[in-house]
Amino acid sequence: MEEIKKISNMGYDIGKKAKLHEIELLSLLEMIKYDQYHDFLKRIFEIARKVKVSIPDELYKYDHDTFEKYIHALWDGLMSSCSTLKVEV
């Protein structure tokens, strides 16, 4: 559970620092909706590097059962940082 919180906080930090446009958020949502989790994670890593947010080790050491939970925790963190767009997966 601690890992989920850490990953959600990372999503929040990325959202706050990157100030993502709604179109970018919708693009990320589309990746999740169509189970393109690796593409979603790759894009999140790119954004995290640009805004200098550290990536928790848990995102590199996941198993199949926790991967989807981590993706949704990242999404929840991103969405909690955005006050203009409210979308749930």
Side-chain angles (χ1 to χ4, degrees):
M1 195 61 163
E2 185 179 316
E3 296 89 12
I4 300 292
K5 179 78 172 150
K6 186 186 293 187
I7 291 169
S8 180
N9 288 342
M10 178 195 139
Y12 181 83
D13 291 345
I14 290 171
K16 278 295 186 193
K17 290 182 178 182
K19 296 181 177 36
L20 298 174
H21 190 274
E22 289 177 2
I23 293 174
E24 178 72 22
L25 290 169
L26 291 172
S27 172
L28 290 168
L29 174 63
E30 186 174 291
M31 289 178 199
I32 293 173
K33 286 188 99 162
Y34 293 107
D35 297 332
Q36 298 170 335
Y37 296 134
H38 291 283
D39 293 335
F40 173 84
L41 195 58
K42 180 180 173 186
R43 182 67 185 125
I44 290 295
F45 284 174
E46 290 170 2
I47 296 167
R49 278 192 294 274
K50 286 181 185 176
V51 296
K52 296 180 171 92
V53 171
S54 62
I55 299 167
D57 291 338
E58 289 83 3
L59 282 175
Y60 295 109
K61 302 175 188 172
Y62 57 83
D63 59 36
H64 182 72
D65 295 333
T66 58
F67 185 64
E68 191 171 345
K69 292 177 187 174
Y70 289 172
I71 295 299
H72 287 280
L74 269 170
W75 176 255
D76 291 343
L78 278 171
M79 290 311 299
S80 66
S81 72
C82 178
S83 61
T84 60
L85 182 66
K86 298 297 177 202
V87 178
E88 291 189 25
V89 179

